[in-house]
Amino acid sequence: MEKYKFSREEELLKEDAAKIFEGIAVGLRSGCITISSKDNALSLIPWGVVDLSMQASQGKGKGKLKIAIKWEPGKTSFTTDVPATEEPAAIPAVEESASSEIS
């Protein structure tokens, strides 16, 4: 299978960045995430179980948040080092009316 790549970096108002994350969340739930720019677009089809990685730092008036979501074809079971009795951190719900296409 050919590998396709998409990259986008820009400075946005935090409200506009939030809209992009809302679109990603809707696409993740529906099973198709489409990301696009003026010149390019890529549709991703995530599988049932995804690996989520988050890193955050803050200091001297600056902050950074990195989020990565990856999946493998056919992955249907969890592999984690977190004990089954530990609850995951609560993530706020996103309105379902947001578009799954991220422009």
Side-chain angles (χ1 to χ4, degrees), residues 42-97:
L42 179 62
S43 291
L44 304 167
I45 311 298
W47 289 83
V49 175
V50 299
D51 295 318
L52 176 66
S53 171
M54 293 191 289
Q55 299 174 350
S57 63
Q58 186 167 349
K60 296 185 182 181
K62 292 183 184 179
K64 182 188 279 189
L65 173 63
K66 289 184 177 183
I67 300 173
I69 303 170
K70 61 184 180 177
W71 53 87
E72 298 175 27
K75 186 173 181 181
T76 58
S77 63
F78 296 97
T79 56
T80 180
D81 294 334
V82 177
T85 57
E86 188 173 320
E87 290 293 320
I91 304 293
V94 176
E95 288 184 31
E96 291 295 327
S97 62

